[in-house]
């Protein structure tokens, strides 16, 4: 089982960025834990602050992996291109948001990804990525 985790803009700052919203752990530390919890899963991790790079990751990893966990961060709410990339691939994509986007500003309530996602997990902190792994494992 090969799972790709793709994170969008500013998620490279997890651990330091608004810890009251996103928690105090870096994604690298969280990923180490996740890998040790699922030794039989092969994880690949990609992060970019650039919209087109995220589209490239989705297209490429959509051919090489069994599932994608995608937190497109702010591009979730703006990017038709990322939504189109998710629609274009044949593997399940689980959309994750660390915070509860529906309890925040109205511009965060709409997602261009959700329509094409296998499912959406919001508001459970970093644990959402683990729930997404569980959902992909079936
Ligand atoms: C986020 C929510 C987005 O609205 C925000 O722009 C992010 C992170 C989340 O994980 O809660 O950068 O996707």
């Amino acid at each position: 089982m090969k799972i790709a985790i793709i994170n969008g803009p500013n998620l490279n700052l997890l651990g330091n960025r608004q810890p009251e919203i996103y928690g105090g752990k870096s994604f690298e530390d969280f990923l180490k834990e996740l890998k040790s919890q699922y030794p039989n899963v092969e994880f690949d991790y990609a992060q970019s602050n650039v919209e087109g790079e995220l589209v490239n990751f989705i297209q490429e990893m959509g051919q090489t992996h069994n599932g994608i966990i995608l937190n497109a961060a702010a591009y979730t709410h703006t990017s038709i291109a990322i939504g189109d990339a998710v629609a274009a691939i044949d593997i399940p994509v689980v959309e994750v948001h660390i915070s509860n986007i529906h309890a925040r500003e109205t511009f965060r309530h709409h997602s261009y990804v959700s329509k094409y996602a296998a499912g959406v997990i919001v508001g459970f902190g970093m644990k959402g990525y683990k729930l997404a792994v569980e959902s992909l494992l079936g």
Side-chain angles (χ1 to χ4, degrees):
M1 181 73 165
K2 283 183 74 171
I3 295 179
I5 301 177
I6 303 176
N7 273 345
N10 301 305
L11 294 174
N12 55 315
L13 301 179
L14 284 174
N16 296 314
R17 174 193 184 198
Q18 296 176 285
E20 68 286 1
I21 298 176
Y22 299 112
K25 195 175 283 182
S26 74
F27 199 79
E28 286 68 22
D29 285 348
F30 172 76
L31 192 57
K32 273 187 212 146
E33 285 173 24
L34 197 65
K35 284 179 175 172
S36 71
Q37 284 163 350
Y38 295 94
N40 296 327
V41 175
E42 196 181 319
F43 288 102
D44 286 303
Y45 175 54
Q47 189 277 331
S48 179
N49 296 323
V50 180
E51 184 178 7
E53 284 183 6
L54 294 166
V55 171
N56 287 341
F57 290 150
I58 293 164
Q59 289 185 10
E60 287 160 17
M61 290 166 145
Q63 310 259 10
T64 52
H65 289 68
N66 304 104
I68 291 177
I69 298 170
L70 174 65
N71 184 348
Y75 288 135
T76 304
H77 318 301
T78 62
S79 177
I80 295 170
I82 288 176
D84 281 354
V86 172
I89 61 173
D90 292 326
I91 62 168
V93 174
V94 181
E95 178 181 356
V96 169
H97 299 284
I98 296 165
S99 63
N100 180 357
I101 53 175
H102 300 291
R104 299 182 66 191
E105 301 95 325
T106 44
F107 64 82
R108 295 185 202 276
H109 296 180
H110 178 260
S111 164
Y112 282 102
V113 173
S114 299
K115 183 179 195 302
Y116 307 109
V120 183
I121 298 168
V122 306
F124 292 107
M126 297 284 231
K127 190 179 166 196
Y129 292 89
K130 193 177 165 194
L131 297 172
V133 173
E134 286 291 331
S135 74
L136 287 170
L137 292 177

